[in-house]
Amino acid sequence: MYRSHNCGQLNASHINQEVTLAGWVQKSRNKGFLIWVDLRDRYGITQLIFDESRTDKAVFDLAATLGREFVIQVKGTVIERESKNPNMATGDVEILVTELTILNAAQLPPFTIEDETDGGEDIRMKYRYLDIRRNPVKNSLLFRHKVAMEVRNYLSGNGFIEVETPVLIKSTPEGARDFVVPSRMNEGQFYALPQSPQTFKQLLMVGGMDKYFQIVKCFRDEDLRADRQPEFTQIDCEMSFVEQEDIIQMFEGLASHLLKELKGVETGKFPRMIYDEAMKKYGNDKPDIRFGMEFGELNAVAQHKEFAVFNNSELVVGIAVPGAAAYTRKQIDELIEWVKRPQVGATGMVYVKYELDGSLKSSVDKFYDAEDLKKWAEVTGAQPGDLILVLSGEAYKTRTRLSALRMELATRLGLRNPEVFAPLWVVDFPLLEWDEDSQRFHAMHHPFTSPKPGDIALLETDPAAVRANAYDLVLNGNEIGGGSIRIHDKATQALMFKYLGFSEEQAKAQFGFLMDAFQYGAPPHGGLAFGFDRLVAILGGQETIRDFIAFPKNNSGRDVMIDAPSVIDDKQLDELHIRLK
Amino acid sequence: MYRSHNCGQLNASHINQEVTLAGWVQKSRNKGFLIWVDLRDRYGITQLIFDESRTDKAVFDLAATLGREFVIQVKGTVIERESKNPNMATGDVEILVTELTILNAAQLPPFTIEDETDGGEDIRMKYRYLDIRRNPVKNSLLFRHKVAMEVRNYLSGNGFIEVETPVLIKSTPEGARDFVVPSRMNEGQFYALPQSPQTFKQLLMVGGMDKYFQIVKCFRDEDLRADRQPEFTQIDCEMSFVEQEDIIQMFEGLASHLLKELKGVETGKFPRMIYDEAMKKYGNDKPDIRFGMEFGELNAVAQHKEFAVFNNSELVVGIAVPGAAAYTRKQIDELIEWVKRPQVGATGMVYVKYELDGSLKSSVDKFYDAEDLKKWAEVTGAQPGDLILVLSGEAYKTRTRLSALRMELATRLGLRNPEVFAPLWVVDFPLLEWDEDSQRFHAMHHPFTSPKPGDIALLETDPAAVRANAYDLVLNGNEIGGGSIRIHDKATQALMFKYLGFSEEQAKAQFGFLMDAFQYGAPPHGGLAFGFDRLVAILGGQETIRDFIAFPKNNSGRDVMIDAPSVIDDKQLDELHIRLK
């Protein structure tokens, strides 16, 4: 027993007790005849006091040698503090130390172990074990654990069974790039790491498991964008004998449970929006509805005038930015430059200031009079004091650009409060999306997603119009979960593979086991997967996932702490029947 | 909503209710004017009845077409059964069906979906999704989920935090063979899949996480023995500021919790045995103590007579087999052949029949008189009616052989009741073991295990005598968990690597990050890992783990259902900078 209590436990009720504590030296203050040490562990900080007049000399002298992050054990008496600290759980007391043992000395850490550290991203990743000592990271990992426990309690309580599916599976060319694992025992062959347990969970439904879930690592060998990880965690779920409504009810229940238990937030019933509406209103299939700035389509009121730019555009669309009529010319020019950045890609932007006195001034006064602009204000819902910003061009791209602008403005205006939670179901996604590169349709969700039964006939005539039984759960502008009702009969699945450009042989080679399974009594089924890293980060009020992952990799897929990946022995390569190119 | 109730839910209290059920046709009986169908889902079986005189003709005719494993939905009225089945939860009622929908037809399954199936191992693995429908497999997976939930509840309740450690890590030559993953973004470099999260959990301790656990997949690319899987699951645990006793208390608590909650068994305090004693008494570091047959060492009473075989042996050791004096000559000969099998490796066996009348007859009567044999009986604890079996030779091998015989006899005598649970801590393991092949010492547990402080000096003079702060939890003759107190200072860790034959460069290249971490304030720490697959199987009363894994691999490491591993595209190989040899 290294300790009788932890460093967050002692308070006035323990005064006069003899205790043993162990932990890290957060800091010490030496006033010559008095030394204070803040002793830290996972649970808190307790103040130690060494008093020249009351402490054994050897102990006092040893205390004077303690450096930051030394690991020590102390015995002593809990006494009342002279100057209490009401901000600390242990702030009423301190320990008058009688015995001190240095369990492990410490070098000076390469950055300060404080909430606000002086360490940059790179050095903190290299010494991640020190970064984890800092409250922001430590608390994020504790929070992640709590979320996982609540997820399991909710799902298990609702009859779901956690089943572990294999990590060493089969590579398929569909979807993102696989990580592969050469097989030693099967020469020339490779396992793949799962991008998701999709086919296995469907097979569990064929196997009658009825309600499955798993908090599970998944893998994608993609070029890493910011805040993407090559290995990530999903809450993977599937249910049998369900329709879309059953799934939405169940997982709205889960999300509500998490918001209530972890954030104390009661959201009520989640709103729903069809995909087409989300694109029209927000230019985005995962709209952040914590704030307004809904799109107003201006074709009817802005075209057929003298302004060729608008007349030649498929779509003219604007938003009203609340209170922004007061922006200076310089501020507005900066916004125009912002939308012209390559990441956004607009070629220009029209603005209208709707002044508080009701007058309207625009950058296109040459073409539009006050009557015209009044109509724009009506369509965009602008109020006096607002700034109307208008983009135009090809419809899809223009919506996407205006969406980026809307999000940027909301951030600038402080409308994206991380402690406000606005969930939203987006439903009726298209089944297919056209891919310019390969000049064919791809599955928008994945090839196992069921088309809406009424739309199946459209597969022949208008594939882009086929809607899927697919749905996303959006929280604060992030897709936190997505899923679909699956195809459960061989004929429809074969048809789907055909429309996706698979030959019969390819479909059989890659997914024959699934289509076979469908012949032995597959129930109707569907499911959903949450991105767990993202879900935890958003619930934790953060924008980035990195602090919610104990040992993340950098943007080159490297773990800079352990220095992986790394070269391996020729002997290992030999055994695996491969060599380097 | 495909159903109002599940197939295990309805009883007499539901009589006269209109219900909707969905599930699989377990079987049907057609008496011409009456058709009964057993409808099955995960929750149970409900009997359906179609009555020519009361059922719509179209429905009745459709019912006549139903085959085994068809997926159907029915609506109907709960009625009282004429011939009740008290062995079924739903045995008091049946459903008089008014509507029938075939949701999915089924081909005849390749084996019967019954508790006792006609399908062999291979075919059941190929159609694992059908095997999972069978109660023995389904219930094993449900049980596994329950065990995992109880593990998490216990550990989380005791302040442990589940932290996910990375799957894509770094290959190290120490220990078993790694599975590796070529990196696309880091040419010529490879990740490895973890054999255990050992170093990461130690880094979490350095990071102050204090109490960590994880139910986690681990990977070993070893030639597969029966009942080994290339991917397996561990309950991985680590604690800071602990001594061996703290860890034993905590995880004895976990094992007791599981036995109580899942099996209703109260075991009391677990016995402990030091490694040397386990080897001497049972020839085994994981003795099954559900039964006796402890070893009696006979050197003192059997050597120095005329029998050269014994005189030339390092060890003469026997066991008393209860009630086996009645064995025929043929039965005893069979046992002698059994120990001579290559898997056991003995060259012969001496036996003594201790007859019920107190007389003693042996296969070595030429060399030993009744007085001598009486002493053997005393040493082995034999009673009249027992059979004494004696092996001799090199000490370690002879113990191992006698242990194998002891286990075999216990199985034959029915002494290994799977519903009796006999846990045991084995402690004081040797730190090192000599490896004949490489002519050097290897770490018996792993290189991070702490020697007992008092034994450190022996590392120079008598390495084999150094004991480790290592412990195993044994249940019914299986090691279900093992762990140790770890080294937590750089100097001792460097010393250990030296004794294990690492050069300073090798140690730094492979484990430099860990030794660096020890310099920044590492707390004393230790932990333990349970083999989760095995633990669940033993708690479930089974000898083999396969039915407790949803999608196991065969002895060649293949998943025969999805047919993995498999060949991959040249394009994939190119991108990964490798080619086949």
Side-chain angles (χ1 to χ4, degrees), chain B residues 105-323:
Chain B
Q107 289 189 5
L108 193 68
F111 52 88
T112 54
I113 311 293
E114 303 277 359
D115 291 6
E116 297 291 332
T117 179
D118 57 357
E121 184 79 6
D122 290 349
I123 193 96
R124 290 193 289 120
M125 284 300 138
K126 182 164 164 57
Y127 297 92
R128 183 63 165 175
Y129 45 88
L130 298 180
D131 206 24
I132 288 172
R133 290 186 194 162
R134 296 173 50 243
N135 282 319
V137 181
K138 179 193 78 176
N139 290 337
S140 297
L141 296 177
L142 297 184
F143 184 71
R144 183 183 179 109
H145 167 67
K146 272 192 209 161
V147 179
M149 285 298 290
E150 289 298 339
V151 168
R152 288 195 165 96
N153 286 339
Y154 176 88
L155 291 174
S156 192
N158 278 282
F160 285 78
I161 301 299
E162 186 160 22
V163 180
E164 293 175 56
T165 53
V167 176
L168 296 170
I169 66 164
K170 184 174 176 166
S171 188
T172 59
E174 188 69 5
R177 212 181 276 109
D178 285 325
F179 283 104
V180 299
V181 180
S183 168
R184 182 178 54 87
M185 285 203 271
N186 301 272
E187 183 171 347
Q189 301 189 7
F190 293 75
Y191 302 99
L193 304 183
Q195 296 183 27
S196 91
Q198 181 64 32
T199 49
F200 287 98
K201 69 176 173 176
Q202 293 192 241
L203 291 172
L204 286 171
M205 294 304 103
V206 177
M209 289 306 287
D210 206 73
K211 289 178 185 166
Y212 145 92
F213 84 103
Q214 189 182 191
I215 300 185
V216 60
K217 275 278 175 74
C218 300
F219 306 85
R220 275 180 210 173
D221 186 13
E222 293 295 291
D223 296 328
L224 299 176
R225 285 188 267 154
D227 220 30
R228 279 268 181 102
Q229 289 283 320
E231 54 179 294
F232 55 97
T233 304
Q234 272 186 199
I235 311 172
D236 193 49
C237 307
E238 197 80 2
M239 302 169 76
S240 290
F241 301 114
V242 289
E243 290 158 343
Q244 177 170 306
E245 185 61 29
D246 302 311
I247 293 184
I248 285 183
Q249 293 292 344
M250 180 62 76
F251 294 101
E252 183 164 322
L254 171 60
S256 300
H257 176 82
L258 296 178
L259 284 165
K260 181 151 176 261
E261 294 299 319
L262 297 162
K263 307 301 294 184
V265 171
E266 301 260 13
T267 52
K269 216 173 137 45
F270 295 1
R272 298 184 196 180
M273 190 178 289
I274 66 169
Y275 171 86
D276 285 345
E277 185 186 353
M279 291 306 294
K280 283 199 165 196
K281 271 194 180 164
Y282 301 101
N284 199 320
D285 62 2
K286 42 181 195 287
D288 190 337
I289 59 168
R290 279 176 296 184
F291 54 94
M293 289 199 269
E294 289 179 17
F295 290 10
E297 297 197 355
L298 301 169
N299 290 33
V301 295
Q303 288 182 329
H304 314 298
K305 303 274 171 174
E306 306 290 294
F307 190 42
V309 172
F310 281 2
N311 291 343
N312 298 330
S313 291
E314 186 184 358
L315 179 70
V316 183
V317 60
I319 52 173
V321 187

Side-chain angles (χ1 to χ4, degrees), chain A residues 282-520:
Chain A
Y282 300 100
N284 199 321
D285 61 3
K286 42 181 195 289
D288 190 338
I289 59 167
R290 281 175 295 184
F291 54 93
M293 288 198 271
E294 289 179 16
F295 290 9
E297 298 197 355
L298 301 168
N299 290 32
V301 295
Q303 288 183 330
H304 314 298
K305 302 275 171 173
E306 306 289 294
F307 190 41
V309 172
F310 282 2
N311 290 344
N312 298 331
S313 291
E314 186 183 357
L315 178 70
V316 182
V317 60
I319 53 173
V321 187
Y327 278 16
T328 62
R329 180 63 200 251
K330 201 177 150 199
Q331 282 177 297
I332 293 174
D333 282 347
E334 190 271 329
L335 282 178
I336 293 170
E337 287 312 305
W338 193 90
V339 297
K340 285 171 152 180
R341 299 183 325 151
Q343 301 95 313
V344 183
T347 50
M349 180 161 64
V350 166
Y351 68 86
V352 183
K353 283 186 170 187
Y354 193 175
E355 301 289 0
L356 283 170
D357 65 7
S359 68
L360 291 139
K361 283 183 215 125
S362 82
S363 57
V364 284
D365 279 351
K366 222 194 299 182
F367 307 108
Y368 300 96
D369 60 22
E371 251 345 88
D372 294 327
L373 298 179
K374 198 92 189 180
K375 285 181 198 149
W376 296 19
E378 274 162 31
V379 173
T380 58
Q383 300 298 315
D386 293 355
L387 175 71
I388 304 169
L389 296 174
V390 181
L391 295 178
S392 64
E394 187 269 313
Y396 181 84
K397 283 185 184 157
T398 304
R399 287 191 175 111
T400 306
R401 287 167 185 154
L402 192 60
S403 172
L405 178 64
R406 175 178 175 270
M407 296 297 274
E408 172 68 15
L409 286 164
T411 302
R412 294 186 187 190
L413 294 168
L415 302 174
R416 306 192 67 196
N417 181 351
E419 294 302 318
V420 171
F421 294 95
L424 169 74
W425 288 102
V426 177
V427 299
D428 292 0
F429 274 79
L431 182 71
L432 304 168
E433 59 185 348
W434 182 253
D435 183 60
E436 283 296 332
D437 289 345
S438 57
Q439 287 289 306
R440 65 173 179 91
F441 281 102
H442 281 258
M444 193 161 192
H445 197 60
H446 55 51
F448 314 108
T449 299
S450 172
K452 284 196 181 283
D455 288 5
I456 289 181
L458 289 172
L459 274 169
E460 282 289 355
T461 54
D462 187 5
V466 178
R467 290 164 306 159
N469 269 324
Y471 33 81
D472 277 359
L473 181 54
V474 174
L475 183 59
N476 294 2
N478 295 279
E479 180 211 319
I480 58 164
S484 63
I485 298 296
R486 324 301 183 186
I487 296 165
H488 67 279
D489 68 286
K490 185 175 180 171
T492 309
Q493 189 62 68
L495 197 68
M496 186 58 51
F497 284 129
K498 195 188 105 188
Y499 281 113
L500 293 172
F502 285 63
S503 72
E504 252 181 73
E505 293 69 39
Q506 283 172 323
K508 194 174 152 58
Q510 289 162 34
F511 298 109
F513 61 94
L514 185 66
M515 291 198 287
D516 283 351
F518 286 170
Q519 296 182 100
Y520 290 104

Side-chain angles (χ1 to χ4, degrees), chain A residues 169 193-201 218-220 232 234 236 446:
Chain A
I169 66 164
L193 304 183
Q195 296 183 27
S196 92
Q198 181 64 34
T199 49
F200 289 97
K201 68 177 175 177
C218 301
F219 306 86
R220 274 179 210 175
F232 55 97
Q234 272 186 198
D236 193 50
H446 55 51

Side-chain angles (χ1 to χ4, degrees), chain A residues 1-3 22-24 42-43 69 71 103-104 106-108 110 127 129-130 132-133 142 144-145 149 152-153 156 159-171 177 179-184 186 189-191 200 203-204 206-211 217 219 221-223 231 233 240-243 246 488 513 517 519-524 550-551 553 556-558 561-566 568 572-581, chain B residues 1-3 22-24 42-43 69 71 103-104 106-108 110 129-130 132-133 142 144-145 149 152-153 156 159-171 177 179-186 189-191 200 203 206-211 217 219 221-224 231 233 240-243 246 488 513 517 519-524 550-551 553 556-558 561-566 568 572-581:
Chain A
M1 276 294 199
Y2 275 90
R3 58 191 172 190
W24 287 262
R42 187 182 108 192
Y43 311 93
E69 302 304 318
V71 183
L103 298 173
N104 220 342
Q107 290 188 3
L108 193 69
Y127 298 93
Y129 46 86
L130 298 180
I132 289 173
R133 291 187 192 160
L142 297 183
R144 184 183 179 109
H145 167 67
M149 286 297 291
R152 288 195 164 95
N153 286 338
S156 191
F160 285 78
I161 302 299
E162 186 160 21
V163 180
E164 294 175 56
T165 53
V167 176
L168 296 171
I169 66 164
K170 183 175 176 166
S171 188
R177 212 182 274 110
F179 283 105
V180 299
V181 179
S183 168
R184 183 177 55 85
N186 301 273
Q189 300 188 6
F190 293 75
Y191 301 99
F200 289 97
L203 292 172
L204 286 171
V206 178
M209 290 304 289
D210 206 69
K211 289 179 185 164
K217 275 279 175 74
F219 306 86
D221 186 12
E222 293 295 293
D223 296 327
E231 54 180 295
T233 305
S240 290
F241 301 113
V242 289
E243 290 159 345
D246 303 310
H488 67 279
F513 61 94
Q519 296 182 100
Y520 290 104
F551 300 102
K553 293 191 172 56
S556 313
R558 292 200 73 81
M561 180 185 69
I562 62 169
D563 195 27
S566 61
I568 61 173
Q572 278 177 286
L573 293 174
D574 277 350
E575 287 184 332
L576 298 171
H577 322 290
I578 57 170
R579 51 184 170 178
L580 300 182
K581 219 177 62 180
Chain B
M1 275 293 198
Y2 275 91
R3 57 192 173 190
W24 286 262
R42 186 182 110 193
Y43 310 93
E69 303 304 318
V71 184
L103 298 173
N104 219 342
Q107 289 189 5
L108 193 68
Y129 45 88
L130 298 180
I132 288 172
R133 290 186 194 162
L142 297 184
R144 183 183 179 109
H145 167 67
M149 285 298 290
R152 288 195 165 96
N153 286 339
S156 192
F160 285 78
I161 301 299
E162 186 160 22
V163 180
E164 293 175 56
T165 53
V167 176
L168 296 170
I169 66 164
K170 184 174 176 166
S171 188
R177 212 181 276 109
F179 283 104
V180 299
V181 180
S183 168
R184 182 178 54 87
M185 285 203 271
N186 301 272
Q189 301 189 7
F190 293 75
Y191 302 99
F200 287 98
L203 291 172
V206 177
M209 289 306 287
D210 206 73
K211 289 178 185 166
K217 275 278 175 74
F219 306 85
D221 186 13
E222 293 295 291
D223 296 328
L224 299 176
E231 54 179 294
T233 304
S240 290
F241 301 114
V242 289
E243 290 158 343
D246 302 311
H488 68 278
F513 61 94
Q519 296 184 99
Y520 290 105
F551 300 102
K553 294 191 171 56
S556 313
R558 292 201 71 81
M561 180 185 70
I562 62 169
D563 193 27
S566 61
I568 61 173
Q572 279 177 287
L573 294 174
D574 277 349
E575 286 183 333
L576 298 170
H577 322 289
I578 57 170
R579 51 183 171 177
L580 301 181
K581 218 177 61 179

